[in-house]
Amino acid sequence: MNFLRPTLLTLACLMALPSHADDLPSLGDASSAIVSPQQEHQLGRAWLSLLRGNVNQLNDPQLKDYVETSVYRLAETSQLQDRRLEFILIDSRELNAFAAPGGIVGVNGGLFLNAQTEGEYASVLAHELAHLSQRHFARGVEAQQRMQLPMMGALLIGIVAAAAGAGDAGIAAIAGTQAAAIQEQRRFSRQNEQEADRIGILNLEKAGYDPRNMPTMFERLMRQYRYDAKPPEFLLTHPVTESRIADTRNRAEQAPKGGTEDSKRYQLIRARVALIYEGTPGLAAKRFQAQLDENPQQDAARYGLALAQIKGGRLNEARENLKPLLAKAPNDITYNLAQIDLDTTNNRLADAQQRVERMRGLYPGNYPLQQARIDLLLKQNRPAEAEKALDALLKNRPDDPDVWYDVAEVRGLSGNTIGLHQARAEYFALVGDFDQALQQLDYAKQRAGNNFVLASKIDARQRELMEQQRMVKDMMR
């Protein structure tokens, strides 16, 4: 990991500037004149590519699909006008979620470990979307013109360091920042937080959730981390106080009861995340088995146990645990994906393929199912068909570096060397390494030889990436 690149720090400093305005921004306000929505979009994509190159990520298709689907559900009823969202799932068990300018939504794995219900999870994301919809970044730029924040760079270094996994360094940098600057920043942050809470509660209700989930989440976090010397990053940037809890509770209680509090799918996703952060599949299996012993009807625990057994090579036991789940819900996509994984791992490829085809009839556009089919095709030594399936997947996920990574691997297996270098170039561009991306296109162009049409196409893409690289450097001077 390239720890805290100067360009990333500069962009992070812009991202976290505090807000001074109380009223909601309008299309003609000063903040829009200083930083336009399109500039925010470009800034956010630049920041995302750099962040991807600096933190470890969770690449589980089912987890990615859940986060994207749930956030878009919230966005549909939010005040967010520009819904060109991009996501990053950070491989960290620390509690955190954030929204960056330009529609970047980040979620740590630790959010699922701490949010015990879907409503609690949604309350955090609704709050973050409110930061985006109210354009707190652009309004912060406007506010910064009217005040001086000495040592702001040191404060932001701490925030980025913590996001990159260096919690101790991050907290030390925050503690070392001048007290007056921190006090001023917190004053403006409280305004933003109150506004995001208020807008987030309204959005939760409109999206069909019970808004009482927000104060419930805050109350539990305050109890859990009240005496911690090193609280999680989310609580450093979103301080939870008694007055804040009381305010959100009062607002939430005005809404009628009856909204969604939890869902089976969320609990299944939580089981997947819990497995990721267990030390070994054996330890995970023991934990899920203990939950089942306590409540034999807990489907999420049985599902987690089956996943742990697949991962630990206890395939017959996994099959027995999946049977009652599939008998209860034969068309459930999550259970069927687990069975496909089991059959593929157990080399029962014909069974896996039959199930994949049946599920494709029910869920033709499902991203995790598409990925499972690609994995199965590779296991069957059918790289040409896998490449075709990945090309189809790219139409819906053209900015997903995980997909481009797979495309490069499959093109290499099928002997498509030029396509391999082109795919690697797209992958490197998406993770902010433009030099490597341009080098891969040089390799592709050398292979193109006398194919003038292909060489011209590669030249054009090189020019586009060089322009992106120049634009990123200009934005972050």
Side-chain angles (χ1 to χ4, degrees), residues 43-61:
L43 191 63
R45 295 315 183 270
W47 181 79
L48 177 61
S49 67
L50 293 174
L51 182 60
R52 281 172 174 159
N54 279 271
V55 296
N56 295 324
Q57 292 149 75
L58 296 170
N59 302 323
D60 178 5

Side-chain angles (χ1 to χ4, degrees), residues 326-348:
L326 286 165
K328 187 184 299 185
N331 293 330
D332 184 279
I333 184 64
T334 305
Y335 297 155
N336 277 278
L337 284 168
Q339 186 67 48
I340 291 166
D341 183 21
L342 172 59
D343 287 337
T344 302
T345 303
N346 205 23
N347 278 319
R348 298 174 65 162

Side-chain angles (χ1 to χ4, degrees), residues 269-346:
I269 291 295
R270 282 194 82 209
R272 295 186 70 85
V273 176
L275 177 58
I276 291 171
Y277 292 109
E278 282 290 355
T280 65
L283 287 174
K286 288 181 180 179
R287 187 181 298 272
F288 288 125
Q289 185 63 63
Q291 295 173 14
L292 266 183
D293 292 341
E294 185 176 336
N295 179 7
Q297 302 305 314
Q298 193 173 352
D299 290 344
R302 189 173 300 278
Y303 169 73
L305 177 59
L307 294 184
Q309 289 167 339
I310 294 171
K311 193 173 181 181
R314 296 159 57 185
L315 304 185
N316 291 334
E317 295 171 76
R319 194 174 300 278
E320 289 304 311
N321 275 306
L322 284 175
K323 278 181 182 179
L325 298 176
L326 286 165
K328 187 184 299 185
N331 293 330
D332 184 279
I333 184 64
T334 305
Y335 297 155
N336 277 278
L337 284 168
Q339 186 67 48
I340 291 166
D341 183 21
L342 172 59
D343 287 337
T344 302
T345 303
N346 205 23

Side-chain angles (χ1 to χ4, degrees), residues 68-342:
E68 293 165 11
T69 302
S70 60
V71 173
Y72 274 119
R73 174 185 172 184
L74 289 166
E76 284 298 316
T77 56
S78 74
Q79 297 182 347
L80 190 64
Q81 294 182 349
D82 188 346
R83 295 174 184 170
R84 295 174 294 173
L85 303 178
E86 288 288 344
F87 301 87
I88 180 168
L89 275 64
I90 296 179
D91 184 4
S92 169
R93 63 183 307 131
E94 294 298 315
L95 168 65
N96 200 19
F98 57 86
I104 308 304
V105 177
V107 173
N108 277 22
L111 176 59
F112 291 92
L113 301 179
N114 283 271
Q116 294 183 1
T117 66
E118 182 175 352
E120 292 183 359
Y121 159 87
S123 71
V124 172
L125 272 301
H127 174 98
E128 296 304 326
L129 286 179
H131 281 306
L132 290 181
S133 70
Q134 304 315 308
R135 302 196 67 222
H136 285 156
F137 160 73
R139 293 160 64 193
V141 173
E142 178 189 6
Q144 198 265 349
Q145 292 186 344
R146 294 194 293 270
M147 65 184 186
Q148 293 184 2
L149 295 178
M151 302 290 287
M152 192 66 182
L155 175 63
L156 268 293
I157 286 174
I159 293 173
V160 177
D168 290 340
I171 291 171
I174 291 172
T177 308
Q178 287 189 2
I182 292 178
Q183 183 177 358
E184 186 73 2
Q185 194 270 344
R186 283 177 176 169
R187 180 168 70 86
F188 292 120
S189 291
R190 280 197 296 271
Q191 294 175 353
N192 282 355
E193 291 304 301
Q194 290 169 356
E195 184 173 80
D197 287 345
R198 176 170 60 83
I199 300 297
I201 284 174
L202 292 174
N203 189 31
L204 276 175
E205 183 182 359
K206 288 194 293 183
Y209 292 99
D210 187 340
R212 293 163 186 80
N213 285 292
M214 183 178 286
T216 298
M217 178 73 169
F218 289 164
E219 285 171 347
R220 195 161 39 73
L221 290 180
M222 189 174 71
R223 289 195 305 268
Q224 185 173 347
Y225 294 105
R226 183 191 297 269
Y227 301 111
D228 277 27
K230 189 173 69 173
E233 176 68 9
F234 183 79
L235 295 184
L236 289 175
T237 55
H238 303 72
V240 175
T241 62
E242 295 281 3
S243 61
R244 183 180 180 189
I245 291 172
D247 183 56
T248 55
R249 176 67 68 189
N250 290 336
R251 292 183 184 278
E253 288 297 337
Q254 298 174 25
K257 294 184 178 181
T260 298
E261 291 188 17
D262 203 7
S263 71
K264 180 184 75 172
R265 190 181 179 209
Y266 179 74
Q267 293 303 325
L268 298 178
I269 291 295
R270 282 194 82 209
R272 295 186 70 85
V273 176
L275 177 58
I276 291 171
Y277 292 109
E278 282 290 355
T280 65
L283 287 174
K286 288 181 180 179
R287 187 181 298 272
F288 288 125
Q289 185 63 63
Q291 295 173 14
L292 266 183
D293 292 341
E294 185 176 336
N295 179 7
Q297 302 305 314
Q298 193 173 352
D299 290 344
R302 189 173 300 278
Y303 169 73
L305 177 59
L307 294 184
Q309 289 167 339
I310 294 171
K311 193 173 181 181
R314 296 159 57 185
L315 304 185
N316 291 334
E317 295 171 76
R319 194 174 300 278
E320 289 304 311
N321 275 306
L322 284 175
K323 278 181 182 179
L325 298 176
L326 286 165
K328 187 184 299 185
N331 293 330
D332 184 279
I333 184 64
T334 305
Y335 297 155
N336 277 278
L337 284 168
Q339 186 67 48
I340 291 166
D341 183 21
L342 172 59

Side-chain angles (χ1 to χ4, degrees), residues 12-32:
C13 290
L14 291 174
M15 183 188 82
L17 288 171
S19 170
H20 184 70
D22 284 318
D23 299 325
L24 302 186
S26 64
L27 292 177
D29 69 1
S31 62
S32 293

